[in-house]
Each structure stands twice: as C-alpha cells, then as structure tokens.
Amino acid sequence: MNLVTKKIGNLLRPKSSLYLSDRQPLTLLGKIKLFFTYLILSVWAFLILWPLYQMVRAAFNGLQYSHIVMTHNYEFSLRHFEYLFNETLYLTWVKNTIFIAGATALITVAVVSLTGYAYSRYRFKGRKPTLMTIMLVQTIPTFAGIVAFFTLHSIVSSVFPMFTRQMMLILIYSGGAIAGNTFVLKGYIDSISTELDDSAKIDGCSNLQTYRLIIMPIARPMLTIIALWSFIGPFMDFLLPRVLLTSPSSYTLAAGLFTLVADHRTMNQPAFAAGGLLTAIPIVILFLALQNQLVSGLAKGSVKG
C-alpha cells in the first residue's frame, strides 16, 4: 500500500521539480547566451540557404531570361534545363569532369595508401627531409606553377602525343592531393597499434601482407574520405581548367558553366543556376550516402586499433 501511495505521489508531483539531467538548470544569463547562440546560428543558416533558394527558384522559373531578377512572378518551367542539354556541351562537360575526378581519386588513393603506410611504419634515410619537403610544397599556390605546367605538357606531349591537357590536369590534382593526404593517412595509421603488425609477422605475414590484410582494412574509412575529397575537388575547381583547357569540348563543369555568364551577349544566368544545381545534387547525394559508412567505419577502426 505504501508503494502504491509513493508512485501516485510521484505522478502528482509538479513536472518542474523533475530534472533528469546531471546538469543544473540554466540561469538567466545562461538562457540569454543560449538565445543569442541560436540567433547567430539562425542568421548564419539564412545567409547560406537564401542564395541556394534563389538559385533553385531561378532554375525552375520560366519567367527568368538572361539575368536572374528578384521578382515575385513565378512560372514553373524546365526550359533552362532544356537549354542546358540542347544548346550547350553540358553532357560533355559532365563526362570530362567525371573522368578527371575518377582518375584523380584512383591515383591519389593508390599512392597515398602506400606513402602513408611507409612514412608511418618505416624509418628510412631521408624520411624527415622528404616529409618537410612535402609540407613546404603545400605552401606554394598551385597556380604559381602554371608556366611550369605548360612547359612540362609541351615536353611530354612532344614525346607522347596522346598526353592531353586533361591528363596534365589529372597529374596536377593528384600531385597536390597526394602531398597533403600523405600527412592525413600517416597520422591515422600512427594511431593504429604496432602490436597488430607484430602479431601478423608472428603469423608469417610479410610486410606487404601486413599492409594489405591488417592496415588497409582498418584505414579504409580514412581512404574513403581521401577518395571523396579527391573526387569532389575537380568539380569545384575553376581556375586551372579554365587556363589549361583551351577547347570548350574539353572543359570541366566549372569552366564550362562559366561560359554561360562570361559574355554579356550570350548571358544566361538561369541556365547557369540550373547547371550549378545539377552539379551539386550528385555531390550532395554521394556525400550523404557515404557519411554513415564513414562514421561507422571510423568507429570500428578505433575499436580494432
């Protein structure tokens, strides 16, 4: 009977007296700080989402013509997308970008997986100087070497005529990604216990088998992140493709879409917005699709390490 009375009393107790968290209730100053925090975050979200909203609205607005105008008049239409597919080389730009991005990601992951493992697990002559050199190379802007890139392409293409400017662009992207991501993967592999390597060697594994069977499965989440970064890079870069690629049929998406707004005589900002929307959608979907796998893989890797 006393137990029933106690339970009834707990149910009738005012909710304000119940506090399930270990933290103390917010004071007036804490509530004010929390209010301004949410206010700043809301303003920041608005500044990000408003241009995106205008881009999406203009892409589907049939009343928009050569320029994007802030107007309340709206008529749903796909004519800007039709212009993009029928009057431009959009599909060619997509194909070029996917080729460059895919090749960059494959080369980067293949080389970084080896260099990161080597710098993490081996102590060889010249290790520190080469790491320092890689770090210093990262401080030099890529565009600063544009003359060297042109010269290198001229030399190589004179020997191998099949060496195109797109291949040169792949090597530039891959070189920059390899240098930076070597440090990233090295730091990740450093966190993996060397006892796993010792156990594998006791079981008779060679260094290559240890790398392939032990280290790489654990480092797979970081390799996935590196591949994703390397793949997205060519989609976002405009300057190098615009300078190195001279033919519109060889442009990437960023350089190709710029032609829609570069000349006022052929200006078509709504079609540019439609192209930007189509470019962003697959990247966002790819990132969201891999995000859960990345988080899950990182958690598993930390347990294994």
Side-chain angles (χ1 to χ4, degrees):
M1 188 68 180
N2 292 334
L3 182 60
V4 174
T5 305
K6 187 175 181 180
K7 288 184 177 181
I8 294 175
N10 290 333
L11 292 174
L12 295 177
R13 185 181 303 172
K15 293 184 178 180
S16 60
S17 63
L18 296 177
Y19 194 78
L20 301 179
S21 175
D22 293 335
R23 298 178 59 183
Q24 294 298 321
L26 288 175
T27 61
L28 178 60
L29 181 60
K31 292 180 180 179
I32 294 175
K33 290 182 179 179
L34 185 62
F35 169 77
F36 281 104
T37 300
Y38 278 106
L39 179 63
I40 293 173
L41 292 176
S42 300
V43 172
W44 183 256
F46 175 79
L47 293 177
I48 294 175
L49 295 177
W50 178 252
L52 295 177
Y53 165 74
Q54 291 296 334
M55 182 185 74
V56 174
R57 190 173 187 274
F60 291 99
N61 190 356
L63 299 179
Q64 298 280 3
Y65 296 98
S66 61
H67 293 78
I68 296 178
V69 181
M70 301 297 179
T71 177
H72 296 292
N73 298 326
Y74 181 81
E75 178 183 325
F76 180 82
S77 174
L78 298 177
R79 70 183 188 89
H80 302 307
F81 294 92
E82 294 174 357
Y83 175 87
L84 200 64
F85 285 103
N86 298 327
E87 304 295 332
T88 69
L89 299 174
Y90 180 78
L91 294 178
T92 302
W93 300 335
V94 171
K95 181 184 67 175
N96 295 338
T97 306
I98 292 177
F99 168 71
I100 293 174
T104 300
L106 288 176
I107 294 174
T108 301
V109 171
V111 176
V112 167
S113 64
L114 295 171
T115 56
Y117 175 71
Y119 278 110
S120 175
R121 288 298 192 257
Y122 295 98
R123 300 296 182 267
F124 50 88
K125 187 176 181 180
R127 177 175 176 272
K128 289 185 178 180
T130 53
L131 279 174
M132 184 63 66
T133 301
I134 293 174
M135 183 176 65
L136 292 176
V137 167
Q138 292 298 295
T139 63
I140 302 175
T142 304
F143 194 74
I146 194 66
V147 176
F149 297 150
F150 273 109
T151 304
L152 183 61
H153 176 266
S154 300
I155 295 173
V156 177
S157 60
S158 63
V159 180
F160 302 99
M162 297 298 293
F163 187 75
T164 63
R165 291 180 180 270
Q166 289 184 350
M167 294 180 182
M168 185 67 197
L169 197 61
I170 291 172
L171 292 181
I172 295 173
Y173 287 143
S174 301
I178 289 169
N181 290 315
T182 294
F183 283 95
V184 175
L185 188 61
K186 175 188 175 298
Y188 188 87
I189 297 178
D190 285 342
S191 65
I192 301 174
S193 175
T194 56
E195 293 179 358
L196 295 176
D197 302 54
D198 298 335
S199 300
K201 292 178 180 178
I202 292 174
D203 291 337
C205 292
S206 62
N207 290 331
L208 185 59
Q209 289 175 325
T210 303
Y211 157 81
R212 183 172 60 88
L213 299 176
I214 305 299
I215 302 300
M216 285 304 101
I218 299 176
R220 187 178 302 167
M222 185 54 64
L223 289 175
T224 305
I225 294 174
I226 292 172
L228 184 61
W229 287 344
S230 303
F231 185 83
I232 292 177
F235 280 85
M236 302 292 102
D237 186 37
F238 160 75
L239 193 57
L240 282 177
R242 183 63 176 175
V243 174
L244 288 177
L245 304 178
T246 56
S247 171
S249 61
S250 65
Y251 282 167
T252 60
L253 275 170
L257 290 176
F258 181 74
T259 60
L260 299 177
V261 294
D263 192 343
H264 69 278
R265 293 171 296 181
T266 58
M267 180 79 68
N268 196 328
Q269 292 180 352
F272 178 83
L277 178 63
L278 292 177
T279 303
I281 288 175
I283 297 177
V284 172
I285 292 176
L286 181 63
F287 184 83
L288 293 177
L290 292 176
Q291 192 173 27
N292 292 335
Q293 298 179 12
L294 293 175
V295 173
S296 175
L298 285 170
K300 293 179 181 177
S302 63
V303 173
K304 290 180 181 178

